[in-house]
């Protein structure tokens, strides 16, 4: 799970988090008591539909400003360490 | 049944190649899917970027109406159900993705359950055609520009957020040739909808391929491998050939094909394992909370349907009917593919010989265009030329010569013909030639007049020689026949 | 230090500045002076932007002298929670991972406040990425409660609450995902409102849990809260979840009307159970009595599913957060800790850049979304959300507003709850249901508890019910002011 989230945890942290998360999940088990058969899920508090934008060009950012924030830059691109595999 | 639909095993047994394709199509919008940055190819790196497409903290996506319009056009052209849909987040870490998730559609795509008809008249199922955003572009430095062995990489986010429609076919394709036909057909459809420029070389269309094999006659599907990095139709064909042979070899050696994602290496002509299903990434899909439901509704879909251009399959049907040719025949496919079917239709409208028109277009014109590129020949000129040939004003040889000029330079067929010295031989003039030939060969004429049809060829040859090949030979044959009574 | 340090309300300040009775610069300097005196103890701010504020104040004065109206917040000092993007001013979310990042754009609320004449005094401290209820989970050290420096100000918008309580600004903005405005407002003795989801644009608000987050104001008066909401609220085409403006009444539109004839339901599930301290419960009863005394019809009402809100919230919010926080990867901005390859770099950067509470929630959220668990956790939580909405709808058929405690207790000691996350999470039990439903709610100071520290009472209203919510809140405010002894 930590690897999926791109985090490394010390053994202490791992131990602590595992028991804490278990506690939270245990508390969350109270939901089991609810009859939710057939209840539709709510992803948004309000069911808005078709919020659309016209296909009109707006100003982009200044490149110097964008790259000025980057930890490492080369040839006007973001420079990163080597990638070991193709995109999944 | 083409040879390339099967792999022949070591024992001579035939293995069927089963293919499903996933095609990513970039939409020709002015701006990106969720922001107002320009959707353009080949610009200076990191110039078409803003807080939204860079995934800056606090930025939010807003859906581009025109991208939806194009996606609906694609769905409609592919006979899909165009439906109420939502967006999901597909979570995975990769540096070409500014938010480290991709906004895509998951279990409720905009377009589902359609089909596409190949020129062979075979229908290929379309599972879905959903909307999603493109990634940025990564350049690898060191290691020969390949990802493996590179010292480091550089990222340009101009492409990040460009609108895509991903079209997923059913595993209905058999072999490399049919897979290529499918991509060709799909490309033609996408261009016809106006949604895509169809440029594979610029990455506007990108193909991933699922390959499996099974013994001839089996009905169960084999275990498939997904092949990525196919940048051309040529790569697609080669990769399928390699991969299907590899799978047959694995099975025949007593092994099992592992479900894998494999990358195609153009240089060594092989596929290489990228990761197995066990390592398959857990994308943790969940509904994108920053976007709302997309429900195009009946009216929008109807408007698209009624304004959509005629798709290639329908054009083939029309040409086939007009010319009395089978819809799955090669000439029909050829004229539609080359956008020449309008000329056949024009011939029908002018009541000239449509079958002749189809023949000339699918053979002479298609052959010439393959060498020289597009033509300015208008339908009027073409129809007049066909009529001249049909009426015997030009021999078929002459007509082909005029057509060649017409295709490359345009102009008026009559003027071209006279410029070439193909003066229309008036019926009277031809009749005079026939008189001369008959007078000069009395013995042969006696036999012919007595019913010996074998001499038809003799007289036609003489007439041909006397006219320098400019006679309408059908008309000449008719004159000979009339003369003997 | 106490509530005496409070500033003049924004409504009055703006009126003075617009009329030319006071200059915006003078108002600003008065607040900067207060910051200079006690901020060293309180640590409400990550950054005080004096120079920027002085320039803004001078511009406001310039407008007044030229006869132009600078707007309804003319010269009002405003503090912004440090997860609201400000062009050219660092925005850290109190995280190491964003240290040094300067947004190239303003949040919509920032643009709207500036257009209304507000003067930005600084960026306030918070729990890292808004994850916490005490402002102890900040990479830059905790904020302390101005009423008692040994106590927490609440969180996650603790800096914004403390800034108003300490008189550093009459107005601040916070964000509320599960109670992050209302709970610190209660603990610091100020007004804190979470608007209807979609009323205030989230564009430029660094996301914690997108389907729950809302920006809202801290103020010293109910009228100020309504005023600020009317300035920052309204449709924004940059936020797809922003509600259309049709049928929306101004938040301040029902102020001054009293509560005669209104129906108020006290949520029985939240009134006295679930670890609500007895002094807090007593204050809620007093509030109910005050409303009844002012002519409202007050009854207990059961909203059964609210008790499951906490569980649903701790599935939904971390899940969305795990995805929202993936982008902090060391590639484009913020912290990078070098690594051999890209994955090493990601892991090194994120492990060093995020604090323990953020990591805990990312882990929880990653788990809740992972294959095989989605239906059991995230999917189920979304259904609980539906039940809560249905139960609220049922209650609002009979009541105009609902009443509950804001926080189960008054401000607790620093360090009291950091070791057990579940105890900390229980702070939000009364506030979370409004976030899950997308409904507005406001915490109004209503006297003090046995320890002499502020207690907040929460007024809940249905979607877009801000006008009636503030109408009721204003009566509670008046009841406390009218009976300072009796309100205790
Ligand atoms: Mg895709
Ligand atoms: Zn952009």
């Amino acid at each position: 799970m930590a690897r999926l989230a791109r985090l490394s945890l010390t053994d202490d942290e791992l131990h602590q988090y595992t028991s804490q998360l278990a506690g939270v999940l245990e508390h969350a088990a109270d939901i089991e008591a609810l009859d939710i058969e057939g209840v539709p899920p709510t992803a948004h508090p309000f069911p808005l539909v078709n919020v659309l934008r016209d296909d009109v060009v707006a100003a982009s950012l200044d490149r110097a400003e964008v790259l000025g924030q980057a930890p490492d830059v080369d040839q006007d691109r973001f420079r990163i360490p080597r990638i070991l595999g193709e995109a999944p | 049944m083409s040879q390339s639909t099967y792999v022949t095993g070591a024992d001579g047994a035939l293995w069927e190649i089963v293919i499903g394709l996933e095609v990513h199509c970039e939409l020709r919008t002015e701006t990106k899917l969720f922001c107002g940055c320009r959707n353009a190819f080949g610009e200076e790196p990191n110039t078409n970027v803003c807080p939204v497409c860079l995934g800056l903290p606090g930025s939010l996506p807003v859906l581009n109406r025109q991208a939806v319009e194009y996606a609906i056009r694609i769905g409609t052209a592919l006979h899909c159900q165009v439906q109420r849909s939502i967006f999901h987040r597909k979570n995975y870490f990769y540096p070409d993705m500014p938010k480290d998730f991709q906004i895509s559609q998951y279990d409720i795509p905009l377009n589902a359950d359609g089909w596409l008809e190949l020129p062979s008249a075979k229908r290929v199922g379309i599972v879905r055609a959903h909307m999603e955003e493109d990634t940025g572009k990564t350049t690898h430095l060191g290691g020969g520009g390949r990802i493996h062995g590179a010292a480091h990489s550089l990222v340009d986010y101009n492409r990040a957020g460009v609108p895509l429609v991903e079209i997923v076919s059913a595993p209905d394709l058999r072999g490399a040739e049919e897979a290529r036909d499918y991509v060709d057909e799909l490309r033609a459809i996408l261009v016809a909808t106006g949604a895509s420029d169809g440029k594979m070389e610029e990455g506007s269309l990108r193909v991933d391929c699922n390959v499996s094999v099974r013994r001839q006659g089996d009905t169960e599907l084999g275990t498939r491998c997904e092949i990525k990095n196919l940048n051309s139709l040529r790569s697609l064909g080669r990769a399928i050939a390699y991969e299907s042979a590899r799978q047959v070899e694995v099975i025949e050696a007593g092994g099992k094909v592992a479900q894998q994602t494999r990358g195609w290496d153009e240089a060594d002509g092989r596929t290489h394992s990228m990761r197995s299903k066990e390592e398959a990434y857990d994308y943790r899909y969940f509904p994108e909370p920053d976007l709302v439901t997309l429900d195009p509704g009946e009216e929008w879909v109807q408007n698209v349907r009624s304004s959509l251009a005629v798709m290639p399959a329908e054009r083939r049907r029309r040409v086939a009917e007009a010319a009395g040719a089978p819809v799955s025949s090669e000439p029909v496919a050829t004229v539609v593919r080359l956008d020449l079917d309008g000329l056949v239709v024009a011939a029908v409208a002018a009541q000239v010989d449509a079958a002749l028109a189809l023949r000339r277009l699918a053979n002479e014109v298609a052959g010439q265009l393959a060498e020289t590129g597009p033509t300015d020949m208008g339908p009027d000129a073409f129809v007049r030329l066909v009529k001249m040939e049909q009426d015997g004003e030009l021999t078929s040889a002459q007509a082909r010569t005029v057509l060649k000029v017409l295709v490359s330079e345009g102009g008026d067929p009559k003027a071209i013909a006279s410029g070439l010295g193909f003066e229309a031989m008036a019926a009277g003039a031809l009749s005079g030639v026939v008189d001369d030939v008959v007078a000069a060969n009395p013995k042969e004429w006696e036999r012919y007049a007595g019913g010996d049809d074998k001499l038809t060829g003799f007289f036609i040859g003489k007439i041909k020689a006397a006219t320098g090949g400019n006679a309408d030979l059908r008309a000449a044959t008719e004159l000979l026949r009339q003369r003997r009574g | 230090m106490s509530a005496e340090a409070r500033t003049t309300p924004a409504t009055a300040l703006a009126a003075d500045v617009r009329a030319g009775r006071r200059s915006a610069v003078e108002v600003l300097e008065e607040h900067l002076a207060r910051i200079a005196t006690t901020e060293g103890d309180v640590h409400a701010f990550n950054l005080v932007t004096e120079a920027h504020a002085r320039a803004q104040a001078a511009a406001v004065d310039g407008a007044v002298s030229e006869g132009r109206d600078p707007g309804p917040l003319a010269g009002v000092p405003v503090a912004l929670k440090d997860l609201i993007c400000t062009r050219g001013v660092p925005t850290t979310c109190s995280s190491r991972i964003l240290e040094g990042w300067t947004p190239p754009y303003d949040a919509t609320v920032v643009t709207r406040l500036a257009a209304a004449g507000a003067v930005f005094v600084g960026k306030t401290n918070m729990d890292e990425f808004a994850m916490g209820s005490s402002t102890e989970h900040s990479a830059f050290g905790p904020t302390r409660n101005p009423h008692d420096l040994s106590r927490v100000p609440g969180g996650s918008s603790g800096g914004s609450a403390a800034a108003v309580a300490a008189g550093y600004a009459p107005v601040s903005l916070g964000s509320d995902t599960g109670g992050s405005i209302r709970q610190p407002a209660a603990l610091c003795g100020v007004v804190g409102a979470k608007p209807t989801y979609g009323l205030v644009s989230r564009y430029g608000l660094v996301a914690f849990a997108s389907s729950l987050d809302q920006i809202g104001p801290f103020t010293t008066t109910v009228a100020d809260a309504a005023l600020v909401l009317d300035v920052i609220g309204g449709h924004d085409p940059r936020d797809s979840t922003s509600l259309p403006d049709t049928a929306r009444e101004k938040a301040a539109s029902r102020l001054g009307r009293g509560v005669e004839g209104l129906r108020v339901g006290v949520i029985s599930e939240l009134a006295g159970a679930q670890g609500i301290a007895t002094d807090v419960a007593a204050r809620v009863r007093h509030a109910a009595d005050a409303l009844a005394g002012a002519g409202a019809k007050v009854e207990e009402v059961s909203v059964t599913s609210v008790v499951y809100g906490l569980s649903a919230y701790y599935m939904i919010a971390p899940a969305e957060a795990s995805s929202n926080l993936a982008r902090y990867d060391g590639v484009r901005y913020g912290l990078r800790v070098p690594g051999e390859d890209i994955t090493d770099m990601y892991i090194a950067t994120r492990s060093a850049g995020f604090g323990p509470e953020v990591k805990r929630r990312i882990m929880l959220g990653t788990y809740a979304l992972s294959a095989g668990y989605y239906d059991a956790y995230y999917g189920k939580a979304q259904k609980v959300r539906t039940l809560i909405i249905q139960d609220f709808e049922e209650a609002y058929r009979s009541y105009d507003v609902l009443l509950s405690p804001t926080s189960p207790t008054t401000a607790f000691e620093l360090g009291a709850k950091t070791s057990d996350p579940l105890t900390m999470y229980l702070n939000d039990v009364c506030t979370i249901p409004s976030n899950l439903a997308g409904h507005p709610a406001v915490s109004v100071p209503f006297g003090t508890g046995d320890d002499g520290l502020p207690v907040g009472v929460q007024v809940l209203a249905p979607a877009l019910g801000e006008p009636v919510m503030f109408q009721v809140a204003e009566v509670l405010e008046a009841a406390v002011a009218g009976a300072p002894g009796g309100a205790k």
Side-chain angles (χ1 to χ4, degrees):
Chain A
M1 206 55 64
R3 183 155 179 92
L4 202 52
R6 297 294 186 267
L7 292 170
S8 77
L9 303 176
T10 64
D11 286 351
D12 266 5
E13 282 174 320
L14 196 62
H15 183 75
Q16 194 196 25
Y17 286 1
T18 309
S19 73
Q20 286 171 341
L21 296 186
V24 173
L25 293 174
E26 197 178 313
H27 183 270
D30 67 354
I31 297 183
E32 305 291 341
L34 280 173
D35 181 15
I36 51 167
E37 197 53 37
V39 175
T42 295
H44 286 97
F46 302 108
L48 294 176
V49 176
N50 295 347
V51 175
L52 299 167
R53 173 180 68 76
D54 288 338
D55 188 20
V56 175
V57 175
S60 292
L61 289 170
D62 173 59
R63 181 165 72 186
E65 191 174 9
V66 168
L67 296 177
Q69 298 280 342
D72 197 2
V73 169
D74 188 7
Q75 299 170 43
D76 298 322
R77 295 170 176 91
F78 296 87
R79 180 175 156 138
I80 51 171
R82 64 203 169 95
I83 307 171
L84 293 184
E86 305 279 351
Chain B
M1 199 175 299
S2 152
Q3 194 50 42
S4 75
T5 53
Y6 289 93
V7 175
T8 309
D11 57 358
L14 288 181
W15 294 76
E16 191 176 26
I17 306 171
V18 178
I19 309 286
L21 294 178
E22 293 171 17
V23 175
H24 285 84
C25 166
E26 284 184 351
L27 303 180
R28 281 180 52 226
T29 50
E30 291 295 316
T31 67
K32 295 185 180 182
L33 186 52
F34 298 120
C35 66
C37 288
R38 296 206 314 120
N39 169 13
F41 177 80
E43 307 230 330
E44 278 289 296
N46 294 306
T47 49
N48 293 330
V49 292
C50 75
V52 177
C53 60
L54 271 177
L56 294 189
S59 64
L60 295 171
V62 185
L63 186 58
N64 182 338
R65 184 191 314 275
Q66 186 62 39
V68 177
E69 163 78 20
Y70 283 146
I72 297 174
R73 287 194 204 170
I74 291 172
T76 306
L78 294 174
H79 313 94
C80 289
Q81 189 109 337
V82 183
Q83 59 188 14
R84 177 189 169 282
S85 66
I86 61 170
F87 287 88
H88 269 70
R89 289 188 185 176
K90 181 182 185 180
N91 294 287
Y92 62 96
F93 283 87
Y94 209 72
D96 62 9
M97 265 198 328
K99 304 180 292 295
D100 288 296
F101 60 79
Q102 181 193 32
I103 304 178
S104 181
Q105 295 191 304
Y106 181 51
D107 52 354
I108 320 177
L110 179 65
N111 305 303
D113 295 328
W115 49 267
L116 164 159
E117 187 177 305
L118 295 177
S120 66
K122 170 173 174 169
R123 277 191 184 183
V124 180
I126 301 294
V127 177
R128 53 193 281 137
H130 69 259
M131 303 186 72
E132 62 183 28
E133 56 180 342
D134 209 343
T135 61
K137 255 187 179 148
T138 310
T139 312
H140 307 295
L141 294 191
R146 287 160 61 177
I147 189 165
H148 299 289
H152 60 266
S153 302
L154 304 176
V155 196
D156 165 19
Y157 291 105
N158 279 349
R159 200 182 65 182
V162 162
L164 295 176
V165 167
E166 179 179 340
I167 300 140
V168 180
S169 86
D172 289 348
L173 297 162
R174 299 290 175 267
E177 199 175 311
E178 199 165 84
R180 282 197 304 261
D181 287 349
Y182 169 85
V183 175
D184 259 339
E185 182 68 15
L186 181 59
R187 175 162 55 183
I189 291 171
L190 294 171
V191 171
T193 61
S196 168
D197 63 16
K199 292 179 183 167
M200 253 183 130
E201 65 281 9
E202 289 185 6
S204 300
L205 281 189
R206 303 196 287 274
V207 181
D208 297 336
C209 177
N210 287 300
V211 181
S212 66
V213 296
R214 62 181 173 192
R215 285 181 191 280
Q216 185 183 24
D218 277 5
T219 47
E220 295 270 296
L221 289 173
T223 306
R224 68 192 158 94
C225 289
E226 182 177 2
I227 310 173
K228 299 215 173 215
N229 299 344
L230 302 169
N231 298 321
S232 66
L233 286 182
R234 188 166 169 271
S235 312
L236 174 66
R238 290 179 69 202
I240 291 172
Y242 173 84
E243 177 62 18
S244 52
R246 184 191 72 83
Q247 291 183 11
V248 168
E249 226 176 276
V250 167
I251 299 170
E252 288 193 326
K256 270 189 173 157
V257 174
Q259 186 166 344
Q260 278 179 333
T261 302
R262 301 178 67 87
W264 168 248
D265 189 323
E266 188 67 48
D268 72 0
R270 294 157 179 260
T271 63
H272 296 275
S273 172
M274 287 162 71
R275 70 187 167 276
S276 69
K277 192 178 181 233
E278 290 71 53
E279 314 158 32
Y281 211 87
D282 184 350
Y283 292 118
R284 290 159 289 137
Y285 280 101
F286 74 103
E288 165 58 279
D290 289 329
L291 290 171
V292 303
T293 300
L294 173 62
D295 187 0
E298 199 49 40
E299 194 184 330
W300 195 350
V301 175
Q302 273 310 329
N303 283 342
V304 167
R305 206 187 302 278
S306 58
S307 62
L308 209 58
V310 182
M311 291 299 130
E314 176 59 22
R315 286 164 59 184
R316 286 194 297 270
R317 215 179 325 281
R318 290 183 190 179
V319 166
E321 200 171 300
V327 71
S328 59
S329 65
E330 194 63 43
V332 169
T334 302
V335 295
V336 170
R337 180 164 44 83
L338 296 175
D339 234 352
L340 298 169
D341 51 325
L343 298 174
V344 180
V345 173
V348 174
Q351 292 180 313
V352 307
D353 186 344
L356 175 61
L358 176 62
R359 216 159 52 235
R360 287 285 167 261
L361 290 167
N363 298 328
E364 283 73 26
V365 178
Q368 192 177 342
L369 293 189
E371 287 162 24
T372 61
T375 174
D376 289 335
M377 176 173 65
D380 277 0
F382 175 72
V383 165
R384 267 182 282 133
L385 176 60
V386 174
K387 184 149 175 53
M388 286 166 76
E389 184 180 352
Q390 183 185 341
D391 290 350
E393 291 178 41
L394 292 175
T395 66
S396 73
Q398 289 171 334
R400 282 199 296 267
T401 308
V402 173
L403 182 57
K404 188 166 189 175
V405 177
L406 193 57
V407 167
S408 58
E409 292 161 22
D412 171 53
K414 258 204 167 77
I416 296 168
S418 63
L420 288 168
F422 302 157
E423 277 310 336
M425 189 154 293
L430 182 59
S431 179
V433 173
V434 172
D435 287 346
D436 294 349
V437 170
V438 168
N441 302 281
K443 277 188 191 144
E444 287 78 4
W445 176 252
E446 207 164 304
R447 283 168 55 199
Y448 175 75
D452 188 350
D453 278 347
K454 286 200 287 287
L455 280 152
T456 310
F458 168 82
F459 282 107
I460 291 296
K462 293 283 174 197
I463 294 167
K464 207 169 167 182
T467 57
N470 284 358
D472 178 345
L473 301 180
R474 266 183 306 164
T477 311
E478 189 54 30
L479 281 173
L480 287 168
R481 212 170 278 139
Q482 284 168 9
R483 194 144 310 206
R484 76 177 167 188
Chain C
M1 193 177 303
S2 73
E4 272 66 55
R6 281 181 185 181
T7 79
T8 314
T11 329
L13 281 179
D16 283 351
V17 171
R18 283 167 114 174
R21 289 190 292 269
R22 293 187 71 185
S23 77
V25 169
E26 176 199 329
V27 169
L28 172 66
E29 293 304 334
E30 179 190 310
H31 287 87
L32 290 177
R34 230 178 263 136
I35 293 171
T37 314
T38 56
E39 167 64 1
D41 296 327
V42 176
H43 185 216
F45 288 99
N46 286 339
L47 180 70
V48 178
T49 51
E50 294 107 333
H52 186 256
R54 286 186 172 115
Q56 268 188 312
V60 168
D61 289 337
V64 173
S65 67
E66 287 166 21
R68 284 183 285 124
D69 180 8
L73 291 173
V76 173
V78 175
L80 300 168
K81 187 175 182 180
D82 204 12
L83 48 37
I84 294 172
C85 288
T86 40
R87 185 180 174 92
V89 176
T91 299
T92 68
C93 300
S94 288
S95 180
R96 293 275 170 222
I97 211 153
L98 272 176
E99 239 181 341
W101 180 60
T102 305
Y105 74 107
D106 275 331
T108 298
V109 291
V110 171
T111 309
R112 290 186 178 177
L113 284 171
V119 171
F120 300 119
V121 291
K123 306 296 291 284
T124 61
N125 197 16
M126 54 187 279
D127 286 301
E128 185 177 358
F129 284 102
M131 297 176 186
S133 306
S134 68
T135 316
E136 292 167 287
H137 299 301
S138 163
F140 311 126
T143 296
R144 288 164 187 274
N145 193 316
H147 293 271
D148 178 346
L149 293 173
S150 71
R151 310 271 173 155
V152 302
S156 67
S157 313
S160 287
V164 171
Y168 301 159
V171 173
S172 65
L173 292 190
S175 64
D176 191 315
T177 306
S180 282
I181 292 174
R182 291 159 289 161
Q183 184 257 13
L187 270 47
C188 289
V190 298
V191 176
K194 182 205 90 79
T196 302
Y197 184 83
L199 182 68
V200 178
S201 169
R202 292 183 295 118
Y203 191 77
L205 167 69
V206 180
F208 164 15
S210 312
S211 75
L212 303 166
D213 296 342
Q214 268 292 286
I215 295 174
F218 292 93
T219 56
T220 59
T221 70
V222 170
D224 275 6
L227 168 68
V228 173
L229 210 47
D230 282 333
V231 167
I232 63 175
H235 181 71
D236 179 10
R238 291 178 188 272
D239 176 356
S240 303
T241 62
S242 167
L243 294 173
D245 279 335
T246 47
R248 184 172 60 89
E249 241 186 293
K250 289 269 181 199
S253 61
R254 298 174 71 91
L255 291 178
R257 294 197 190 178
V259 291
E260 183 79 53
L262 286 184
R263 301 160 302 165
V264 178
V266 181
I267 303 175
S268 49
E269 285 79 3
L270 301 179
Q274 283 268 341
I276 309 289
T278 51
D279 54 343
V280 171
R283 296 307 305 157
V284 176
R285 277 196 303 279
H286 281 296
D289 292 347
L291 292 174
K297 187 187 111 189
V298 183
E299 290 171 349
E300 282 228 342
V301 58
S302 175
V303 187
T304 49
S305 56
V306 293
V307 296
Y308 301 104
L310 192 72
S311 296
Y313 175 85
Y314 277 98
M315 296 296 119
I316 293 171
E320 294 183 9
S322 70
S323 172
N324 282 329
L325 271 63
R327 70 191 66 192
Y328 306 106
D329 61 9
V331 172
R332 292 159 299 276
Y333 46 82
L335 180 73
R336 173 186 291 188
V337 176
E340 274 295 292
D341 58 55
I342 188 86
T343 304
D344 285 349
M345 189 277 277
Y346 285 158
I347 292 174
T349 299
R350 292 166 61 80
S351 300
F354 291 136
E357 182 61 23
V358 172
K359 287 183 198 169
R360 186 154 39 232
R361 301 222 197 175
I362 289 176
M363 296 286 290
L364 180 56
T366 304
Y367 181 77
L369 289 178
S370 61
Y373 296 101
Y374 180 92
D375 289 339
Y377 293 115
Y378 192 79
K380 196 168 273 181
Q382 286 200 320
K383 294 182 171 194
V384 174
R385 207 169 168 177
T386 308
L387 288 183
I388 291 174
I389 292 173
Q390 288 171 352
D391 282 359
F392 270 130
E393 273 172 5
E394 179 62 32
Y396 287 123
R397 271 195 269 280
S398 308
Y399 301 95
D400 297 298
V401 297
L402 302 175
L403 210 63
S404 83
T406 305
S407 162
T409 65
T410 56
F412 44 91
E413 301 271 345
L414 266 80
K417 298 186 180 182
T418 39
S419 60
D420 180 8
L422 190 56
T423 320
M424 188 71 93
Y425 297 169
L426 285 168
N427 271 296
D428 301 328
V429 67
C430 298
T431 46
I432 278 171
S434 302
N435 297 87
L436 291 171
H439 292 170
V442 60
S443 179
V444 194
F446 201 76
T448 54
D450 296 343
D451 49 12
L453 290 167
V455 171
V457 169
Q458 183 177 223
V459 181
L460 303 85
L464 294 176
E466 279 83 357
V468 69
M469 174 182 90
F470 285 126
Q471 180 186 0
V472 173
E474 193 190 32
V475 170
L476 291 175
E477 178 179 57
V480 177
K488 284 234 163 180

